[in-house]
Amino acid sequence: MALKHDWTKEEILEIYNKPFMELLYEAATVHRQHHDPNTVQVSTLLSIKTGGCPEDCGYCPQAARYHTDLEGNDLMSVNQVKAQALRAKASGSSRVCMGAAWRNVKDGEEFDNVLEMVRTINKLDMEVCCTLGMLTENQAQRLAEAGLYAYNHNLDSSEEYYKEVISTRGYQDRLDTIGNVRKTNVTVCSGGIIGMGESEADRAGMLVALSTLNPQPESVPINALVPVEGTPLEEQEPVPIWDMIRMVATTRIVMPETQVRLSAGRTQMSREGQAMCFFAGANSIFAGDKLLTTPNPDVNEDMEMFKMLGLNPQKAFEKKSQPESVDADKSQFQSQGEKPKWTRPGHKIDRNLEAQGKAKTKA
């Protein structure tokens, strides 16, 4: 059956608000039609450059303007990243996602080092994902040539609610970056966060934006907000597990072939809650004690849970074949020294300004 690419907010809300058992049954049925229900991918998220980000995302402890006691670090070396990737592989991960706290990629030595990290991990026969901010078409081509398997660029929320969380970049820039990635053979990973104060209609709006992309993203991470002291969203109440299960189930029904990634917020979830998310269609988790900067369950705990539920870790390149890595000296795409002008909408978000003011006072 052909995938539906014209979902409306009303249709998605109707699914989201179905009686719980009906929703779960439908999602589990769709899941079994497109995926092995007993296989879940284990990915490792690695912060290769932490803190000092110039953006004002209301949820993020890496924003330089907020005071979150975060220890920043410069870009890791290729050898450090290789050692971490080998450790991740030994503990059962088939994918490494590298995140750098950048607004956008800038051509130069640091990006060249990231390209070398991509080549190195791909040659370990692991899927490589990067999340580096906004990206031009040439930069996307260079990552593809290095052997990148996936690029993560989350939409975070609906276009309407996005403006309540972030003022330093525009929603269209997110979509344009995804468009640049789509001009290559790199797969797209894009999702969002629930629990930031958004409405159910905003959750549906985010799924409209993702599901109407053609092709739909190969990966959609569903994150529960982890409130961090010092950020504008530090006072938010934790998301009820029922909301997470509903969001996973709805995502599965709307995007049947996508890997739905149960991402941030798992430390607040019981094993029973996570099991229901898997039943509803989640088929990927992030392992390791940290997700960039927020806590995450220990990998041994996850393996115990897998054993209890009879789940098997997904092998690398099961969904798409392994890309080839072209060495730097044979690359067809060279640095163009690009300095693109990405949008700065510049509207004011009161709670972001208030958090910034508190940070200045503490400093």
Side-chain angles (χ1 to χ4, degrees):
M1 199 173 77
L3 293 181
K4 179 173 160 68
H5 288 280
D6 58 352
W7 289 100
T8 65
K9 197 182 285 189
E10 292 68 33
E11 286 173 325
I12 292 176
L13 273 174
E14 196 177 319
I15 294 169
Y16 183 91
N17 286 310
K18 278 188 175 192
F20 189 75
M21 296 305 178
E22 243 181 80
L23 174 64
L24 218 55
Y25 179 74
E26 186 181 340
T29 304
V30 171
H31 188 49
R32 277 155 176 70
Q33 286 166 357
H34 297 271
H35 305 271
D36 177 350
N38 296 315
T39 300
V40 173
Q41 185 170 42
V42 181
S43 307
T44 293
L45 190 51
L46 182 59
S47 183
I48 56 172
K49 187 268 173 187
T50 307
C53 183
E55 305 279 42
D56 76 336
C57 308
Y59 52 78
C60 188
Q62 301 207 62
R65 63 189 72 207
Y66 308 134
H67 186 83
T68 58
D69 292 326
L70 178 74
E71 273 189 45
N73 68 271
D74 294 334
L75 190 69
M76 290 169 76
S77 71
V78 175
N79 284 338
Q80 284 174 313
V81 167
K82 183 179 181 179
Q84 295 273 24
L86 285 167
R87 189 173 146 219
K89 188 176 184 178
S91 67
S93 284
S94 60
R95 182 176 180 124
V96 172
C97 185
M98 298 187 285
W102 294 338
R103 169 176 163 80
N104 58 278
V105 171
K106 291 176 183 156
D107 288 348
E109 189 182 342
E110 288 199 324
F111 185 42
D112 291 343
N113 284 337
V114 171
L115 294 170
E116 201 50 48
M117 293 170 195
V118 171
R119 290 185 190 99
T120 302
I121 298 173
N122 188 45
K123 286 171 186 174
L124 298 176
D125 297 327
M126 297 182 80
E127 294 175 13
V128 195
C129 177
C130 279
T131 180
L132 311 168
M134 272 90 74
L135 199 64
T136 66
E137 185 182 341
N138 185 64
Q139 289 163 344
Q141 294 286 8
R142 293 179 74 200
L143 282 163
E145 208 179 38
L148 191 70
Y149 185 88
Y151 194 79
N152 167 262
H153 204 58
N154 289 339
L155 295 183
D156 291 337
S157 190
S158 68
E159 186 165 6
E160 294 76 22
Y161 197 70
Y162 188 88
K163 299 181 182 81
E164 303 296 317
V165 180
I166 301 160
S167 75
T168 52
R169 62 177 186 227
Y171 205 73
Q172 189 57 47
D173 286 349
R174 314 298 285 172
L175 295 168
D176 289 348
T177 291
I178 291 169
N180 288 337
V181 173
R182 274 287 176 233
K183 291 168 187 169
T184 72
N185 64 349
V186 175
T187 63
V188 167
C189 175
S190 185
I193 307 170
I194 68 170
M196 298 191 292
E198 75 289 338
S199 65
E200 288 177 359
D202 288 314
R203 292 173 187 178
M206 179 182 83
L207 293 182
V208 168
L210 292 167
S211 64
T212 52
L213 293 171
N214 195 357
Q216 292 175 343
E218 286 81 357
S219 282
V220 173
I222 302 295
N223 298 276
L225 177 74
V226 179
V228 177
E229 193 179 342
T231 62
L233 296 176
E234 64 181 357
E235 302 292 341
Q236 286 295 130
E237 289 295 316
V239 178
I241 185 63
W242 309 109
D243 288 21
M244 277 299 282
I245 299 165
R246 280 188 180 277
M247 193 66 183
V248 165
T250 307
T251 305
R252 169 52 66 229
I253 292 164
V254 171
M255 290 177 271
E257 293 180 359
T258 292
Q259 294 258 122
V260 179
R261 301 186 180 273
L262 189 59
S263 300
R266 284 200 303 121
T267 47
Q268 279 96 23
M269 297 178 204
S270 67
R271 282 186 175 176
E272 295 85 345
Q274 291 179 70
M276 289 184 88
C277 286
F278 295 135
F279 185 73
N283 56 347
S284 173
I285 58 166
F286 283 106
D289 57 357
K290 263 191 181 177
L291 282 193
L292 294 182
T293 59
T294 54
N296 197 47
D298 177 76
V299 68
N300 295 324
E301 282 179 45
D302 284 332
M303 290 305 110
E304 271 178 37
M305 176 174 69
F306 272 38
K307 193 175 175 185
M308 190 186 300
L309 299 175
L311 297 174
N312 303 305
Q314 181 183 304
K315 293 183 173 67
F317 313 113
E318 273 198 10
K319 299 288 183 182
K320 184 176 178 284
S321 57
Q322 182 175 8
E324 280 185 38
S325 287
V326 175
D327 289 336
D329 58 351
K330 295 185 179 133
S331 173
Q332 288 182 14
F333 295 93
Q334 299 299 322
S335 166
Q336 294 181 352
E338 294 176 281
K339 293 180 181 171
K341 289 270 188 281
W342 296 100
T343 314
R344 290 185 186 273
H347 60 281
K348 290 183 170 47
I349 301 172
D350 289 340
R351 64 186 173 192
N352 290 16
L353 292 170
E354 194 180 319
Q356 206 172 326
K358 281 183 195 168
K360 280 179 184 166
T361 308
K362 279 184 184 175

